[in-house]
Amino acid sequence: MASVSEMYDVGWEEMRDKLRKWREDNCRNGEQIVDVGEELINEHASKLGDDIWIIYEQVMIAALDCSRDDLALTCLQELRKQFPDSHRVKRLSGMRLEALERYDEANKHYDAILQDDPTNTAARKRKISILKAQGKGAEAIRELNEYLEQFVGDQEAWHELSELYINEHDYGKAAFCLEELMMTNPHNHLYCEQYAEVKYTQGGLENLELSRKYFAQALRLNNRNMRALFGLYMSASHIAASPKVSAKVKKDNMKYAAWAATQINRAYKMAGRGTKENKCSMKTVEEMLESMQITMS
Amino acid sequence: MPIQLTSQAYCKMVLHAAKYPHCAVNGLLVAEKTKEKKKDSHGEPVLCVDCVPLFHGTLALAPMLEVALTLIDTWCKENSYVIAGYYQANERTKDSRPNQFAEKVAARISENFSEAAIVMLDNSRLTMSCFEPIVLIYDHHENKWKSREVTFDCFEDWSEAQKITSALLEGRSYENLIDFDNHLDDLRNDWTNPVINKSVLDLC
């Protein structure tokens, strides 16, 4: 089988930089990381300098995702040799046990870390992940709430909690978590748009109006967010179609929906430039929007 | 009325699950629209010729699902298809029961197609070689969703489906599978998956 460097004609520096980009973007692409990382470790370890340790960590976690226990163990052993008393490495040992579904042993590892260092957030979060993996959604939510009382600024945790609530269909509480995230990240269009989706799902006229406003806000922050554009169209159309609204509100929302429809058609037109298949997709969208206007009015 | 899966429908579902092993995934199954309803068409299976992969990750939010259902419905009408079922693979390996969300979507599909089915993927049996079918099929009986025994009759041609799915998994074709989420990220991504469809055809 051809090596990564042969297949893509890249040198070891590009491979190292790619791994760094994936680390920074927090991508969960296990197979690619294993392909690139394994080759980097096997062929170019000496050139990587101190970067090698963080690469071992990254590759180890990716190897767990791909069921490559052999590779994971190799990386783990190198890290243990270099950092014998490290809590960070102990957490990786715990993660390996989790991957092997030896949850009780993994919990013991994390409890040992927490005995030594009660503020170790990584260990606490792993324990919550174990509850999630075991299907104990309600317990995971409880533990995560307790965690957030202490570590109020942990955005990853707030986001995880919002997802747990969505899975339990508790949209009100999911919205609350997203509100926390929007407060601390007012320019993040993704949080705005997710909040709008949750409000829309909750349903009811008030929530629909709120959702429309937040879809609009997400668009203001990023005018290429298609979900926000579609969301604006859907929420405005539903409000306009509701029998409970005044004539003015109906008229305003029909205007918003019409504007959104134009933007959607324009976006599809731009995307379809040049390809025959996408032209059919553009036509489908036009027809869909027209048919929705008929059912809504 | 039982549903049957073509190789294309089956392998795209499996590829979708394989592309996002750490997420829940879902999608729609489409069948060809039959022109006349024969009087004794009760025993005849509904052939699901294709599937449209929808989302991965957080499945239970309404707005994009509505957009997808409406858009795909329009596409179906243009191609004489009808949305005939819903598939889902849960996030956890050991969890293959349809949840409240799956039942809701299926109920919505049932409004247009009375014999809509839920197809759940059994993650714990997903392998590269695909020795056995890994789907569980649920039909609506007396207000409950009941699972039906899956035999090779649930497939138009099981050995072909097995061969094609296994080949595409080995070749990592799932990296090129497009779902509706990918389409929303970049409109140029085509959720009808012409490239994968061609690969399936080439292997038939």
Side-chain angles (χ1 to χ4, degrees):
Chain A
M1 218 186 86
S3 67
V4 170
S5 49
E6 280 166 24
M7 275 204 290
Y8 298 98
D9 194 19
V10 287
W12 69 270
E13 296 105 325
E14 281 133 312
M15 290 165 71
R16 177 203 58 194
D17 293 343
K18 199 70 184 185
L19 282 181
R20 183 189 306 136
K21 181 167 193 310
W22 286 331
R23 264 196 317 270
E24 286 167 8
D25 293 343
N26 217 356
C27 298
R28 194 162 175 181
N29 50 340
E31 279 188 313
Q32 292 177 308
I33 294 176
V34 162
D35 281 346
V36 174
E38 190 171 21
E39 189 174 315
L40 209 54
I41 293 172
N42 288 339
E43 318 271 319
H44 307 283
S46 50
K47 307 186 190 95
L48 293 168
D50 275 336
D51 269 352
I52 194 159
W53 308 114
I54 202 162
I55 289 177
Y56 273 133
E57 182 183 43
Q58 183 181 14
V59 174
M60 190 221 152
I61 295 177
L64 291 179
D65 258 349
C66 297
S67 230
R68 285 283 311 271
D69 196 42
D70 56 318
L71 181 57
L73 212 45
T74 311
C75 296
L76 190 54
Q77 280 160 350
E78 291 297 316
L79 287 167
R80 277 184 187 145
K81 264 197 302 206
Q82 180 73 6
F83 306 102
D85 295 312
S86 156
H87 280 162
R88 188 161 163 178
V89 176
K90 205 174 171 79
R91 166 195 166 232
L92 291 175
S93 294
M95 282 178 81
R96 179 174 165 266
L97 292 168
E98 283 184 62
L100 297 168
E101 292 184 88
R102 284 149 64 174
Y103 296 123
D104 291 332
E105 289 177 58
N107 265 322
K108 286 209 181 85
H109 263 69
Y110 301 135
D111 287 334
I113 298 178
L114 286 169
Q115 263 226 327
D116 226 17
D117 174 14
T119 68
N120 189 304
T121 56
R124 275 183 83 163
K125 289 199 267 193
R126 285 323 307 165
K127 286 179 65 94
I128 294 170
S129 303
I130 290 179
L131 290 170
K132 193 176 164 192
Q134 294 173 313
K136 300 180 181 163
E139 267 189 69
I141 288 178
R142 206 170 40 234
E143 294 289 324
L144 195 43
N145 267 306
E146 267 186 49
Y147 170 86
L148 280 165
E149 275 172 32
Q150 257 193 287
F151 300 98
V152 148
D154 189 332
Q155 314 207 353
E156 179 187 64
W158 279 112
H159 201 251
E160 181 68 40
L161 187 54
S162 80
E163 278 183 23
L164 289 175
Y165 276 130
I166 291 172
N167 285 335
E168 302 285 318
H169 305 292
D170 196 338
Y171 299 109
K173 300 218 178 82
F176 177 79
C177 299
L178 287 163
E179 282 164 13
E180 285 286 333
L181 287 166
M182 286 196 295
M183 267 203 306
T184 43
N185 302 274
H187 298 295
N188 185 318
H189 65 107
L190 296 171
Y191 291 149
C192 252
E193 182 258 303
Q194 265 196 318
Y195 179 75
E197 285 199 56
V198 170
K199 281 294 167 193
Y200 183 109
T201 310
Q202 264 185 296
L205 192 55
E206 254 186 66
N207 285 325
L208 268 181
E209 296 198 300
L210 214 52
S211 104
R212 190 207 66 225
K213 290 186 183 144
Y214 278 91
F215 278 129
Q217 176 65 2
L219 269 176
R220 219 171 284 138
L221 293 169
N222 180 343
N223 61 5
R224 287 196 268 154
N225 186 327
M226 274 317 286
R227 290 182 179 82
L229 194 48
F230 269 119
L232 176 60
Y233 175 79
M234 300 292 289
S235 49
S237 301
H238 277 301
I239 296 171
S242 163
K244 298 187 207 153
V245 297
S246 66
K248 177 170 192 313
V249 171
K250 187 181 177 102
K251 192 155 156 244
D252 284 342
N253 278 283
M254 285 178 68
K255 247 191 341 198
Y256 303 143
W259 178 85
T262 322
Q263 297 303 310
I264 292 174
N265 276 319
R266 181 178 300 168
Y268 270 91
K269 197 163 185 179
M270 285 197 48
R273 280 220 179 108
T275 35
K276 184 162 149 267
E277 287 112 16
N278 273 323
K279 282 212 182 75
C280 122
S281 165
M282 186 177 109
K283 186 164 156 290
T284 311
V285 173
E286 265 179 22
E287 282 192 32
M288 168 192 122
L289 293 170
E290 272 180 40
S291 74
M292 285 186 72
Q293 286 292 65
I294 298 171
T295 51
M296 296 286 191
S297 58
Chain B
M1 211 154 85
I3 63 158
Q4 243 192 2
L5 301 168
T6 60
S7 305
Q8 181 163 302
Y10 181 73
C11 88
K12 276 158 79 173
M13 280 196 290
V14 176
L15 287 176
H16 194 202
K19 185 180 182 188
Y20 298 106
H22 56 287
C23 294
V25 299
N26 66 357
L28 299 173
L29 293 161
V30 299
E32 279 174 352
K33 203 177 184 125
T34 46
K35 294 195 181 86
E36 341 89 45
K37 254 216 140 134
K38 300 186 226 143
K39 277 207 194 107
D40 53 355
S41 65
H42 257 292
E44 279 201 34
V46 175
L47 186 63
C48 290
V49 295
D50 202 359
C51 75
V52 180
L54 286 180
F55 306 111
H56 56 270
T58 314
L59 304 180
L61 290 175
M64 297 307 122
L65 179 64
E66 271 189 52
V67 173
L69 282 171
T70 318
L71 190 53
I72 291 163
D73 200 49
T74 311
W75 174 77
C76 278
K77 290 201 174 77
E78 286 168 6
N79 292 284
S80 298
Y81 287 153
V82 66
I83 299 179
Y86 169 80
Y87 76 83
Q88 183 170 305
N90 289 330
E91 189 179 6
R92 291 170 42 235
T93 327
K94 303 207 170 115
D95 177 16
S96 51
R97 279 215 54 105
N99 54 11
Q100 195 189 55
F101 182 72
E103 295 187 2
K104 269 205 181 126
V105 181
R108 180 82 177 263
I109 296 173
S110 300
E111 287 172 16
N112 264 0
F113 187 80
S114 51
E115 290 103 6
I118 298 180
V119 174
M120 296 298 294
L121 265 71
D122 185 349
N123 298 316
S124 63
R125 291 186 291 151
L126 177 53
T127 61
M128 291 291 251
S129 44
C130 310
F131 281 133
E132 40 167 9
I134 61 166
V135 288
L136 300 147
I137 304 181
Y138 290 79
D139 304 301
H140 206 196
H141 280 310
E142 298 152 17
N143 276 329
K144 280 215 194 91
W145 289 94
K146 296 213 181 100
S147 79
R148 189 203 320 151
E149 194 198 343
V150 172
T151 62
F152 295 150
D153 286 332
C154 297
F155 297 87
E156 192 187 24
D157 182 343
W158 166 247
S159 67
E160 181 190 74
Q162 183 269 329
K163 194 182 72 176
I164 295 178
T165 310
S166 181
L168 291 179
L169 281 175
E170 297 261 350
R172 295 218 213 163
S173 290
Y174 46 81
E175 288 173 3
N176 303 321
L177 183 92
I178 305 287
D179 65 10
F180 204 74
D181 259 333
N182 300 138
H183 174 72
L184 290 172
D185 289 335
D186 183 339
L187 292 184
R188 291 166 297 183
N189 288 329
D190 190 347
W191 44 263
T192 60
N193 285 291
V195 176
I196 304 243
N197 290 345
K198 183 162 186 307
S199 308
V200 171
L201 218 55
D202 287 342
L203 286 168
C204 272

